[in-house]
Amino acid sequence: MNRRPKIQVLTLGCPKNEVDSEVLLGQLRASNFEVVPAPEEAEVAIINTCGFIEPAKLESIDTILETARLKSSGHLKRLFVIGCLAQRYRAEMESELPEVDRFFGVNEHDEILAELGSSLKYDLLGERLLTTPSHYAYLKISEGCNHPCSFCAIPLMRGKHVSRPMDEIIREAKALAGRGVKELILIAQDLAYYGIDRSRKRELRALLEKLAAVDGVEWIRLMYVYPANFPSEILDLMVDNPRICRYIDLPVQHCSDRVLASMRRGMTRRTTEGLINEIRERIPDIALRTTLIVGYPEETEKEFQELLDFVEKTQFNRLGVFTYSQEENTIAEPLGDPISRAEKERRKEVIMELQKEISAEKNESLVGERVRVLLDRREGEVFYGRTEWDAPEIDNEVILPDTDRLKVGNFYEARIVDAIEYDLFASVEEADLNRTR
């Protein structure tokens, strides 16, 4: 190819993958490649894969095969596969997927660009082509993980924990704010570990203080805060600084002492409940999100009922459930996978039905309240937004009727007028339209 080919980058998996793709897209744009939204329009397709659990791996393989079929039409010339799945299974995939031209591991952007006849622009590292709406962005503060969770393959793909230099993160935050980003969503395998590998002390609070001082940033959201050795020093900062959302994603995974010990989580039910109580005592109106795993090999019906009781007692504001996926070369692999897929799904459905009731009750308690809402998008005759208690794509939304005076990307004071399990309905009063930010 004498001219720059048209390139499509398709991202699968979590926001951390999304950030990796945005960095690659920024490099492609700097090298004058034309980025297109669909593989049918592309001459080169790059698929950023997820290898976290079995369903994610199957989705990645299906997407690769579906995209590979476009090569037979003659328009798509080359297909690259990058990311976690390629990092973990490169040799096997090279043997079994000859349709793919090249495989690249996590963050091998320099090699990808070299294959395309270009080179990495080191002076532009950190520059990204955002794929999120322009008013919010994910900000990755570290890579990898040092925790020994028995079920998790992330260290096999992403390696040990490496914190990004704080000044580098602040520069990126300022650049994002300069482009109109109002909400920064902090992500990592574990936010709480930030700084330990660099200074042997937790530096999340210091980082939050500096991020909260960046002009233009109005919300800072914390995702993936590992509960063991939780950095309690951030709680006072969350109370005192309105720019830090009263929201924490705290993935507890289970509550049974027996299961937690086998999972190597470094927690017990007592310490988990103690942490949750501490957080809620210090920030009564905080929203706690968590994720659980059901169907772990050590989880009998007794442990599952204990987990169900824990969910009912704890009343998490937001909750997601994964079914256990046996992963090669993890500590839990020798335990086998004795619980059927059907039983895992049943347990997941039981917990999610309970959570639906909890969420409905919590939402109904907000009817009549005034809340600050950030509008994410407009669809037809309604706008969709979020409160500070909700992360994009995974949590509740606030639905407002269309009016010419509302604008996506702005904050509004809204009154909640109705509620269902996972949605709030609101209106913006005329007087509040003048308070737009």
Side-chain angles (χ1 to χ4, degrees), residues 130 134-135 137 169-184 211 213-218 243:
L130 293 182
S134 61
H135 55 276
I169 297 172
I170 300 304
R171 280 198 304 272
E172 183 175 352
K174 289 179 177 179
L176 290 168
R179 294 162 60 183
V181 170
K182 299 176 181 179
E183 178 184 10
L184 296 175
L211 287 173
V214 174
D215 288 339
V217 173
E218 299 199 40
R243 290 189 174 190

Side-chain angles (χ1 to χ4, degrees), residues 124-135:
L124 295 179
L125 287 178
E127 293 289 329
R128 294 154 53 186
L129 180 60
L130 293 182
T131 56
T132 58
S134 61
H135 55 276

Side-chain angles (χ1 to χ4, degrees), residues 1 3-10 25 28 33-47 67-80 101 116:
M1 300 179 187
R3 62 175 178 81
R4 295 297 198 197
K6 296 179 180 180
I7 297 180
Q8 189 240 3
V9 177
L10 176 62
L25 285 165
L28 292 170
F33 288 96
E34 182 181 353
V35 177
V36 296
E40 294 82 4
E41 304 174 40
E43 295 160 280
V44 177
I46 302 174
I47 301 174
T67 306
R69 295 188 189 101
L70 295 175
K71 293 179 71 177
S72 62
S73 68
H75 185 68
L76 183 65
K77 305 298 183 184
R78 307 183 77 186
L79 173 59
F80 298 161
D101 294 283
L116 292 168

Side-chain angles (χ1 to χ4, degrees), residues 330-397:
T330 58
I331 297 168
E333 184 187 12
L335 297 176
D337 194 13
I339 301 173
S340 70
R341 180 177 299 179
E343 175 59 18
K344 292 176 187 175
E345 289 295 334
R346 183 194 72 82
R347 294 180 186 182
K348 175 181 177 178
E349 290 174 9
V350 169
I351 289 182
M352 290 311 300
E353 280 299 314
L354 173 58
Q355 182 61 29
K356 184 187 294 185
E357 296 174 6
I358 293 170
S359 183
E361 185 175 340
K362 288 183 176 293
N363 280 355
E364 287 166 5
S365 71
L366 292 173
V367 173
E369 297 291 325
R370 292 165 60 88
V371 296
R372 193 178 187 216
V373 176
L374 175 60
L375 295 190
D376 281 337
R377 70 189 190 282
R378 177 182 179 178
E379 292 183 7
E381 298 182 353
V382 295
F383 283 89
Y384 291 84
R386 291 175 291 112
T387 70
E388 68 173 297
W389 303 301
D390 298 289
E393 298 184 352
I394 57 173
D395 290 331
N396 290 359
E397 290 188 304

Side-chain angles (χ1 to χ4, degrees), residues 90-143:
R90 184 182 305 202
E92 295 93 326
M93 294 175 77
E94 286 175 341
S95 173
E96 297 176 12
L97 293 169
E99 304 93 335
V100 177
D101 294 283
R102 283 290 306 272
F103 292 89
F104 301 90
V106 174
N107 294 332
E108 292 182 351
H109 295 170
D110 52 345
E111 295 186 24
I112 297 170
L113 289 161
E115 183 69 18
L116 292 168
S118 185
S119 60
L120 194 69
K121 308 292 189 292
Y122 288 94
D123 58 325
L124 295 179
L125 287 178
E127 293 289 329
R128 294 154 53 186
L129 180 60
L130 293 182
T131 56
T132 58
S134 61
H135 55 276
Y136 72 80
Y138 295 100
L139 183 60
K140 185 158 63 170
I141 68 170
S142 64
E143 184 62 275

